Amino acid sequence: MPDTSAPEKTVAHSPRKRRSTAQVRSLITTAAYDEFAEHGFDGTSIRAVAERAGVTESTVFRHFSSKPALFETTAVGPLVQFMYEFAASIATHPDENPAAVTLRFVSGLYDLCTVNRRILVSLAAQPHETADQREPAFDACARALVRGIETYIAENDQATPVDILDAVRMALALVLGAVLSDNELFPAEADPARIKAMLSQFVLIGAGYQQPSASGQGR
C-alpha cells in the first residue's frame, strides 16, 4: 500500500548573524554602565557585566584589560561624547559670543553630570589603579575641545592670557565639583539656572575674558 502521508517538512535555520566588534563593545559598555550605576565599583563584577550583556567573561576581557579600565571608559563615556560634540559645534558657530559659548558649555555639562551623578560619584570615589592609564581620563576629549576653542578664537580674532587646556580642565573640575557636592554646597531649592550662570562667570573670569565695554571694545 503506498504511503499517502504528507512528506515531513524540513525547517531551514538561517545562520545566526555574527555581531560586529562595535556591537559587542556597545553591549558590554551599556551593561557595565547599568551595573556600576546600580552597585558601584566594588559591588560590580565582570561576571555580572558579562551576564547582563549576554557575552562571556573572556569576551569582556578581550575588549577591556581590567575592571578599572572598563569602569573608567563607561563612567566618562557620556562626558567624552559631550565634549567631542561640543568641540564640533563651537568650531562651526564662530558668531556666538564667548559668554554665550561658555554658558552653553557649562549648562550642557551640568545637566549631563546631574543625570549621570550616581555613576560619577562612583568614579570620584574609585581609586586610580588602572596600570595602563597614561593620561588623565578626560584629556583626549579635552584636547579636542581645545582645538574647537582655538578655531573659534581665530575666527573671532580673540585672545586669552591663559593656557586653554588648563582652562578646560578647571572648567570641568568646577562643574563636576558643583554637581557631585549637590546639596552640600547648594540648598535643595537653589535655582539650577542661577548655579549655571555663576559657574559660567567663574569660568570666564578664570580664562581672563573681559566683557566688551560700552564702546564695543574688549577681549
Side-chain angles (χ1 to χ4, degrees):
M1 186 174 180
D3 184 5
T4 57
S5 60
E8 183 179 350
K9 293 182 179 180
T10 58
V11 179
H13 293 281
S14 58
R16 184 176 178 180
K17 187 176 181 181
R18 185 179 180 86
R19 291 178 297 201
S20 68
T21 299
Q23 288 174 321
V24 173
R25 187 179 177 90
S26 178
L27 287 171
I28 293 170
T29 53
T30 299
Y33 183 94
D34 292 338
E35 286 291 323
F36 287 130
E38 291 175 14
H39 307 293
F41 179 81
D42 292 333
T44 295
S45 67
I46 293 295
R47 175 179 293 180
V49 171
E51 289 177 352
R52 193 162 192 154
V55 300
T56 63
E57 290 182 62
S58 61
T59 298
V60 176
F61 282 116
R62 277 201 297 271
H63 289 267
F64 300 94
S65 61
S66 63
K67 186 170 82 166
L70 174 59
F71 179 79
E72 289 178 359
T73 299
T74 303
V76 305
L79 300 183
V80 170
Q81 181 179 354
F82 168 79
M83 282 192 280
Y84 274 117
E85 291 176 351
F86 193 88
S89 75
I90 190 176
T92 55
H93 290 81
D95 55 331
E96 195 173 18
N97 69 62
V101 170
T102 304
L103 180 59
R104 184 162 61 86
F105 174 73
V106 168
S107 296
L109 183 62
Y110 186 94
D111 290 339
L112 183 63
C113 290
T114 300
V115 171
N116 294 279
R117 184 178 184 276
R118 188 171 179 182
I119 198 168
L120 290 174
V121 168
S122 296
L123 176 65
Q126 197 267 331
H128 295 284
E129 55 184 82
T130 306
D132 57 358
Q133 182 176 330
R134 293 179 173 82
E135 65 177 11
F138 294 109
D139 254 25
C141 55
R143 291 178 189 281
L145 183 57
V146 166
R147 290 192 291 273
I149 293 172
E150 288 173 340
T151 300
Y152 169 83
I153 287 175
E155 291 283 347
N156 283 273
D157 194 26
Q158 297 278 341
T160 177
V162 301
D163 182 273
I164 299 175
L165 182 57
D166 284 345
V168 169
R169 287 173 176 153
M170 291 308 297
L172 285 169
L174 190 64
V175 177
L176 285 169
V179 172
L180 294 177
S181 298
D182 198 26
N183 291 343
E184 283 73 32
L185 276 179
F186 303 101
E189 65 274 12
D191 180 10
R194 182 169 178 269
I195 295 174
K196 295 171 188 176
M198 288 191 297
L199 292 171
S200 296
Q201 285 299 311
F202 273 91
V203 170
L204 284 168
I205 292 170
Y209 174 74
Q210 297 177 0
Q211 293 283 358
S213 63
S215 62
Q217 302 298 316
R219 287 186 296 175

